Amino acid sequence: SQQGEEDPQALSIQEGENATMNCSYKTSINNLQWYRQNSGRGLVHLILIRSNEREKHSGRLRVTLDTSKKSSSLLITASRAADTASYFCATVRNFGNEKLTFGTGTRLTIIP
Amino acid sequence: SQTIHQWPATLVQPVGSPLSLECTVEGTSNPNLYWYRQAAGRGLQLLFYSVGIGQISSEVPQNLSASRPQDRQFILSSKKLLLSDSGFYLCAWSGMTGLAFFGQGTRLTVV
């Protein structure tokens, strides 16, 4: 079963705007990760945030984690056409049990 | 540096034929290894994962099996393919950082 559920399933915005995607999960986690997938390709990791962290930044990406609500958000600022892709969150439940479970993904389209 | 190789990129197989997809990792030892399947426009379904040689965890009952004959080799197999086995299969590995690195995927079409 899917551990994470992304919201929205699809998002279209104008280039230059900010894009926010959300992820909810069901069980306690060790860490949460965000990945990007271009059409028909493998996934590329973007950011990993641990359960004791609340916010993390990497370039134009900002990830937040709220373990009390079992949710995370990915913010892409100043979007570019090249950001068009599917974005997935993934969770690792317990250290020592490295099962990596993915959500259903958000399809992001940046309109030039 | 670490790399992951997955092949073939595309595969068309008749119903009832066997399947063998291979994934190898270079540049790291004792990786966690994963096989996922992705239906068109959907999320990733975890099929198998392995934390060591000969240690395979199966996530869903299905027509597929996995083996890890060597530390950095992960094989996905089927004795007889079904139409429903069609999909995009992704191999991945992770290490101490917890981040996963993916192969480029195999698009399997069962006809």
Side-chain angles (χ1 to χ4, degrees), chain B residues 15-19 63 78-82 85:
Chain B
V15 169
S17 65
L19 173 73
N63 187 40
S78 173
K79 292 182 179 178
K80 290 186 177 180
L81 284 168
L82 306 171
D85 291 324

Side-chain angles (χ1 to χ4, degrees), chain A residues 1-2 31 33 35 37 40-48 50 88 92 95-105, chain B residues 32 34 36 38 41-46 49 51 59-60 88 90 94-105 107:
Chain A
S1 62
Q2 297 289 347
N31 66 71
Q33 305 169 29
Y35 289 79
Q37 183 184 34
R41 305 295 296 274
L43 280 71
V44 176
H45 66 259
L46 299 175
I47 291 185
L48 180 152
R50 303 197 181 280
F88 296 88
V92 174
F95 183 76
N97 176 358
E98 305 300 330
K99 186 167 74 170
L100 184 61
T101 309
F102 282 79
T104 52
Chain B
N32 300 311
Y34 307 85
Y36 292 90
Q38 186 177 31
R42 305 292 298 276
L44 277 70
Q45 180 186 34
L46 179 61
Y49 74 103
V51 298
E59 287 299 298
V60 292
F88 190 51
L90 288 158
S94 70
M96 293 298 294
T97 65
L99 292 171
F101 298 84
F102 281 80
Q104 288 303 299
R107 186 160 304 283

Side-chain angles (χ1 to χ4, degrees), chain A residues 19-80:
Chain A
T20 299
M21 290 160 273
N22 303 296
C23 167
S24 60
Y25 56 92
K26 298 176 183 176
T27 65
S28 61
I29 60 172
N30 175 273
N31 66 71
L32 184 143
Q33 305 169 29
W34 283 92
Y35 289 79
R36 168 198 167 115
Q37 183 184 34
N38 289 334
S39 181
R41 305 295 296 274
L43 280 71
V44 176
H45 66 259
L46 299 175
I47 291 185
L48 180 152
I49 186 166
R50 303 197 181 280
S51 60
N52 61 352
E53 298 176 307
R54 292 297 168 258
E55 189 170 309
K56 223 169 177 181
H57 297 255
S58 176
R60 293 184 296 114
L61 306 180
R62 172 177 164 247
V63 168
T64 62
L65 179 64
D66 187 335
T67 53
S68 66
K69 296 181 179 179
K70 292 185 170 58
S71 67
S72 174
S73 67
L74 170 67
L75 168 68
I76 303 175
T77 60
S79 63
R80 305 168 181 170

